[in-house]
Amino acid sequence: MYVVATAGHVDHGKSTLVQRLTGMWPDRLAEEQRRGLTIDLGFAWTAIEGREIAFVDVPGHERFVGNMLAGVGPVPAVLFVVAATEGWMPQSEEHVAALRALGVGHTLVVISKADLADPTPALAQCREQFPGAPVVLGTDLDQVRRSLVALVDGLPAPDSDADVRLWVDRSFTVRGSGTVVTGTLAAGRISVGDELDHDGRTVSVRGLQSLGRDQPSVAAVARVAVNLRGVDRDAIRRGDTLCTPGAWLPTGEVDVALREQGKLQQRLVLHLGSAAVPVHVRPLGETGARLRLARPLPLRVGDVGLLRDPGEHRIAAGVQVLDVRPAPLRRRGEARARAAEIATGRVAPPVCERADTLRAMGFAASGDRIGDWVVAPGWWAQRRRDAVSAVERWVADHDIAAGMPEETLRRQAGLPAPQLVPPLLDGTGLTVRDGLVQRPGTDLPPRVDAAVRAVTEWLASDPFRAPEAAELAALGLGPKEIGAAVRAGRLARIADGVVLGPDVHARAAEVLAALPQPFTVAEAKRALDTTRRVAVPLLEQLDARCITRRAGDGTRRLV
């Protein structure tokens, strides 16, 4: 299917031309039929030389330009109508300005009412306004049909595998079916049973129609009516979207390049798709702007819309989205730097982002793949250098620490997620263990090493006579130093302030094996030639390691 919108000044015969081509009168509202004036969007369709063509007929009156833009926004081609009786008129000018701002380049111009006035002036005006576009007389309906076929045959092929974003242009209730919405499906495919996202809630597709016929599945480009389950008619309206879940990032702020620019004001309305959203405009140089939207929209890089001043009935600028998640502009010079970047016509994608998020933003996943993440190679290499330097500084400032906390390193290296730390350290010699980043072969600083050697010599002749707290303090071994020695495997902590050699458990088992089984604490204390301060916690550790087993009467035996 192909979808074509109409455009042109009020009463120039757009609806009549659609009716002559399709046999269907597009005006559906009673007021439209009573007044003979298109107020809202109308729809009709026909087949021409095997091509199914659906028409979105839009109003031409200046009071209903918002409705016109809702119809044209998602549509790739336009049938522009100019009456020979009046020629180029104010709404002809506004409509063509809108088409230029939206970047609609596929246009067929029809001179209507050519049997009522000399069409020559209107032909000349249209050729001036649409250089290169075909211009035909509406009195020759066969030529109009041939030109329509040529128009749709020149349209780019849609991507039926793309993520769905259906801009809603109508919402109503059908008795016995519930909520139904309509729109132009520009890309992707919708099938009965699909689950789609609407404003953060999941809705399911109960039924589908296209061109008045029930369909199990509809692929772009197409006019489609979607019967929804899970949303009331009053909760979904024109300008809303139905999207592939998780594939879009609703955004309330975007950076845009300005096209077909006129006079910018601080407060305008952004028309994109079928949406019309008030925005606050912050100019960024002469070719860009940051837009703060009154409500979030699911936008992507490359989306095209326009800014309009509804009070003055004028198009302020065409816009192309360059960034849907722009960084704050807080520091001096950041706005100027951003303006210079926008002036190039593109902005760089994030240097580190999840691949699915890049897709949702509209950026290609170019860079190095690190798990679910995509990183810029130069940025990643700099982060690795920064990480090594950060660990070196940490070790210098915390010489007895077991390692730098992984979260501290993540923050200092500027990584957005903890899972990026281990791959960042690949090839650096640094490792992550128990949440700590460590250097290989990390040893004790000289002052602690000397103290531990003194304790080791102390224990050589009396392996179970632990130094007293005062003796450890005299050697400069406080809790942190002892902790470092234990982590390095140079000492074993038996209790707070009680340390022995690293092989104490095996040596104790050898001594206790010579005792009659079972044995008491007193017997173990005598055999080990130590104090109760050492014997009791040492036996408890032997129990915990299943070297000994304690009986209900307090005696123990070797396992």
Side-chain angles (χ1 to χ4, degrees), residues 8-10 60-62 65 80 89-96:
H9 192 77
V10 61
H61 196 283
E62 65 178 0
V65 171
F80 201 98
M89 294 292 285
Q91 289 313 115
S92 304
E93 188 64 36
E94 183 165 17
H95 282 202
V96 78

Side-chain angles (χ1 to χ4, degrees), residues 344-541:
T344 67
R346 65 179 298 273
V347 299
V351 293
C352 180
E353 189 52 84
R354 294 183 182 275
D356 56 357
T357 301
L358 284 175
R359 176 186 173 97
M361 294 173 71
F363 286 115
S366 58
D368 292 342
R369 192 69 178 258
I370 309 294
D372 295 334
W373 296 77
V374 178
V375 301
W379 178 87
W380 186 250
Q382 184 60 52
R383 298 284 78 70
R384 179 172 280 132
R385 292 190 290 269
D386 291 347
V388 172
S389 299
V391 173
E392 293 297 331
R393 290 193 301 271
W394 176 272
V395 170
D397 295 337
H398 307 80
D399 60 352
I400 59 173
M404 183 178 186
E406 184 179 2
E407 176 60 17
T408 302
L409 177 63
R410 183 195 70 79
R411 291 196 302 267
Q412 292 191 17
L415 299 180
Q419 58 264 39
L420 291 172
V421 174
L424 182 72
L425 301 180
D426 283 349
T428 65
L430 300 172
T431 58
V432 179
R433 186 175 65 184
D434 299 328
L436 298 173
V437 180
Q438 300 172 329
R439 295 185 303 177
T442 298
D443 208 346
L444 299 174
R447 62 183 179 83
V448 180
D449 179 71
V452 171
R453 288 180 185 276
V455 172
T456 302
E457 292 175 5
W458 174 296
L459 297 171
S461 56
D462 292 303
F464 305 107
R465 286 190 172 271
E468 298 291 335
E471 293 168 323
L472 292 173
L475 291 171
L477 291 177
K480 291 183 178 179
E481 288 78 9
I482 290 173
V486 170
R487 287 191 297 270
R490 301 279 295 279
L491 294 176
R493 182 188 284 112
I494 305 305
D496 288 343
V498 180
V499 295
L500 295 172
D503 60 347
V504 63
H505 301 97
R507 298 184 69 170
E510 291 179 4
V511 172
L512 297 176
L515 291 177
Q517 307 291 313
F519 55 85
T520 65
V521 172
E523 291 170 336
K525 179 172 73 68
R526 288 194 296 272
L528 296 170
D529 191 20
T530 188
T531 63
R532 188 174 181 84
R533 178 178 76 98
V534 174
V536 171
L538 177 57
L539 288 171
E540 289 175 349
Q541 287 191 0

Side-chain angles (χ1 to χ4, degrees), residues 189-197 202-209 215-218 225-229 243 245:
R189 177 186 296 272
I190 300 178
S191 300
V192 174
D194 281 353
E195 290 190 337
L196 299 172
D197 179 84
T202 299
V203 297
S204 58
V205 178
R206 184 179 181 182
L208 284 172
Q209 276 196 355
Q215 302 287 352
S217 182
V218 178
V226 187
N227 183 199
L228 295 174
R229 181 185 291 111
C243 296

